Amino acid sequence: MKKKLARASAHRSVHHASTHRTSKADGNYLVVVRGWMFVVAFALMLGVGAIVGNFIASELNASTPQVAGASTSR
């Protein structure tokens, strides 16, 4: 029994060492991708905000009619 346990633990350590390799380049790539995802998401939020803002401004201007720059309501 003890030989099987020793052999299994030795096999586990060798297998673990062979599969647990990460390179520095992969980490840098993920940082760059996350940065660009943040930039794109920020730009999309600004664009949506501009569209919604223009729509609300046009609706407010349509509800208060003006003639030659002066308001017609009393």
Side-chain angles (χ1 to χ4, degrees):
M1 276 292 227
K2 291 196 180 221
K3 284 185 178 180
K4 286 184 181 180
L5 289 175
R7 196 179 308 150
S9 65
H11 176 68
R12 241 183 266 137
S13 65
V14 170
H15 185 266
H16 180 70
S18 65
T19 59
H20 188 61
R21 291 182 186 166
T22 57
S23 65
K24 190 82 170 169
D26 290 341
N28 290 339
Y29 177 74
L30 289 176
V31 170
V32 170
V33 169
R34 282 184 188 172
W36 276 108
M37 285 173 57
F38 176 75
V39 169
V40 169
F42 189 74
L44 286 173
M45 286 192 300
L46 284 177
V48 169
I51 292 170
V52 171
N54 283 337
F55 175 75
I56 291 173
S58 66
E59 290 295 316
L60 286 175
N61 288 337
S63 65
T64 57
Q66 292 182 353
V67 176
S71 179
T72 56
S73 62
R74 294 185 183 197

